[in-house]
Amino acid sequence: MNEVVIESAGTLHGQLQRGLGRAARRAAATTGVAELVFDCIRRDPRWDRQVESRALYYARLVVDLELPVGPIAEHLREPAGGDEWHGRLAVDVLADLVRLSRREAAGPLRECAEDGEQWFEAVDALVGLRDPELAEGLDGLVVARCDDGDLDWLVADPDNPVLRAWAGRRPQIAAALGRRRPGGGTGVPRPRRQGRTGGDRSASSESELLDLARRPDDDGAVAAIFELGRRRTPALLDLAEELLPQSDGRWGGALCRALREYGSEALPRARAWARAHAGCEALALCILSRHGTHQDIPILMGELEAAVTREAWGAAASPVEGLGRLRAGEAVPLLKKTWTDSSYSYLRPRVLTALTRTAPHTAETYAVEALWDCEDDTRRVAVSSAPFTDDTRLRFHRLHSDPAEEPQVRAAASDRLMF
């Protein structure tokens, strides 16, 4: 996970780093905020860069505050220093600025594509803008630098007008597009999927499946676990207790997926695992969050409190979901603290959903704030649950009409404006 220092959630800087809506609303009335926004873009404060969103959030701030793109372009010219993520957020911010009608942001993207260390990401961003004029002349660079694997990655959308224009001039790009079209293959080996089927195991006996499931280097082990789960075999609970303390990630994911459908049958064992802390607690929380009853609220509360104290934000997801499903009113103060303090923005849609279920009136304040949140899933939940006022109506209109907004958010905003 990213180890950038995150400032206190009580500061504007810390709120901007977290992508909180309250910071976006405060920014216009605060002096010196420009440097804070640029600092966030340069340092990329995302806790998990693979799943968290910040680009559109910062791009909107650049537009609303009428900030220049120069400092972002300067950041792209800085050496990466071995950081594979260096400049990626800046590239995405520039692309969203173009979508928000700041077309001058395309200049630094082209410069980066031609001469920058993040040239491939910049090319990918320009292609994603779907404007042949902005990407004019880059096809020669792409063909010179990209092998077939790179091209297959770049041409994910065969209907993209940029790619169609390039394909008319470059046989290599035309061939890559051909591989992407139905019946054309992909041009690259299909990625190995976690939890491959390993064949049909429906004819195997229970003892054969249990024996196979204990072989960590065999693809059939995961298939055997899934077949035991399909049969709802009680012995799979014993197997989980045996295997999970060995900390094998493949086993953990497969067992969680297989056992979470056992429903109430798995609750006694899940409760014991949660109390024992012997290596099965993650699976226990997965089961309790989906199937637990009100008697499990203290366990879920304790786990959420521990996660918040340790700032182990990934571990907070299951307790948050479980407490929301059970409408645990006693969890509201802790959910509010999680919302404010968490540097893991991907957690906030779950927190907002939990708040709307446990304390609908209290949740209204958070739903209004979330209309400015950095995560599109949070904005989507907020659009559906925020009260309809003059302030929120204007925000719904902006979300609905914003070409850079995610389609699901735009659709939700449209639905609210119809009533």
Side-chain angles (χ1 to χ4, degrees):
M1 296 303 166
N2 188 8
E3 296 183 357
V4 170
V5 175
I6 302 297
E7 303 297 332
S8 167
T11 66
L12 179 58
H13 193 183
Q15 293 167 9
L16 288 168
Q17 289 177 313
R18 290 167 173 80
L20 285 163
R22 65 189 66 176
R25 303 189 75 184
R26 284 178 57 191
T30 305
T31 58
V33 72
E35 183 51 39
L36 298 181
V37 173
F38 290 136
D39 178 78
C40 289
I41 296 172
R42 285 193 296 264
R43 296 171 63 206
D44 191 351
R46 291 174 293 178
W47 187 73
D48 185 344
R49 291 168 169 174
Q50 293 189 5
V51 300
E52 291 184 72
S53 301
R54 290 291 189 284
L56 181 56
Y57 177 83
Y58 295 137
R60 282 173 169 160
L61 283 167
V62 171
V63 170
D64 293 345
L65 299 171
E66 299 182 348
L67 304 181
V69 301
I72 307 174
E74 285 297 327
H75 172 59
L76 284 179
R77 299 185 188 109
E78 297 170 357
D83 179 7
E84 64 174 323
W85 284 93
H86 174 84
R88 292 197 187 186
L89 179 57
V91 166
D92 292 339
V93 170
L94 289 169
D96 277 330
L97 283 170
V98 176
R99 295 185 179 95
L100 293 169
S101 300
R102 290 283 298 269
R103 288 181 68 85
E104 76 272 21
L109 280 177
R110 283 194 62 99
E111 178 186 338
C112 182
E114 293 167 355
D115 300 312
E117 292 186 52
Q118 302 81 23
W119 67 268
F120 187 85
E121 287 74 18
V123 169
D124 191 36
L126 287 164
V127 170
L129 292 172
R130 302 174 63 86
D131 185 337
E133 180 182 345
L134 297 179
E136 180 64 33
L138 292 178
D139 49 320
L141 175 152
V142 167
V143 169
R145 296 181 183 177
C146 293
D147 58 20
D148 284 349
D150 293 331
L151 289 175
D152 286 319
W153 179 274
L154 194 64
V155 301
D157 177 11
D159 295 322
N160 189 309
V162 174
L163 298 173
R164 291 205 307 267
W166 288 356
R169 301 189 294 267
R170 303 290 177 176
Q172 300 95 322
I173 296 176
L177 284 174
R179 292 192 293 270
R180 276 288 181 179
R181 291 193 173 94
T186 62
V188 292
R190 185 179 300 276
R192 179 184 178 95
R193 295 185 298 164
Q194 186 174 10
R196 288 170 60 185
T197 60
D200 182 6
R201 299 292 172 179
S202 59
S204 302
S205 68
E206 181 177 312
S207 61
E208 290 172 335
L209 291 170
L210 289 169
D211 179 65
L212 184 58
R214 292 183 172 91
R215 302 176 187 174
D217 298 325
D218 192 328
D219 284 330
V222 173
I225 289 171
F226 287 158
E227 177 60 24
L228 290 166
R230 188 188 67 80
R231 300 179 188 183
R232 294 198 174 189
T233 305
L236 187 58
L237 294 164
D238 298 322
L239 186 69
E241 203 164 282
E242 173 188 336
L243 298 182
L244 285 178
Q246 301 178 33
S247 301
D248 188 295
R250 293 180 68 229
W251 273 331
L255 286 165
C256 184
R257 182 176 169 186
L259 285 172
R260 66 188 178 187
E261 301 303 331
Y262 273 43
S264 59
E265 299 174 36
L267 284 177
R269 193 71 68 92
R271 288 164 182 153
W273 290 339
R275 295 188 182 97
H277 290 278
C280 298
E281 51 269 27
L283 175 56
L285 288 174
C286 178
I287 295 170
L288 294 177
S289 69
R290 292 173 65 93
H291 305 292
T293 66
H294 280 79
Q295 79 175 78
D296 301 307
I297 288 176
I299 294 176
L300 295 170
M301 286 280 292
E303 291 295 333
L304 179 56
E305 188 169 6
V308 171
T309 300
R310 301 194 316 268
E311 298 186 351
W313 304 117
S318 287
V320 165
E321 291 178 348
L323 291 166
R325 183 182 64 82
L326 294 169
R327 292 176 166 79
E330 58 266 50
V332 170
L334 193 53
L335 290 171
K336 291 163 64 176
K337 180 176 176 57
T338 303
W339 173 274
T340 301
D341 289 355
S342 175
S343 55
Y344 185 34
S345 61
Y346 200 62
L347 183 62
R348 283 203 293 274
R350 297 177 172 88
V351 177
L352 183 58
T353 300
L355 282 170
T356 59
R357 291 175 175 172
T358 56
H361 181 70
T362 299
E364 288 184 353
T365 300
Y366 292 86
V368 171
E369 174 191 350
L371 294 171
W372 283 262
D373 195 81
C374 66
E375 292 292 337
D376 58 275
D377 274 347
T378 309
R379 297 193 297 276
R380 179 183 54 78
V381 175
V383 166
S384 301
S385 55
F388 200 94
T389 65
D390 289 342
D391 188 30
T392 59
R393 179 176 57 83
L394 290 173
R395 189 61 179 172
F396 294 156
H397 274 290
R398 178 171 180 182
L399 294 174
H400 169 60
S401 62
D402 189 339
E405 184 56 83
E406 291 295 324
Q408 288 184 327
V409 179
R410 298 182 69 179
S414 177
D415 290 343
R416 284 303 302 274
L417 290 167
M418 291 177 62
F419 298 100

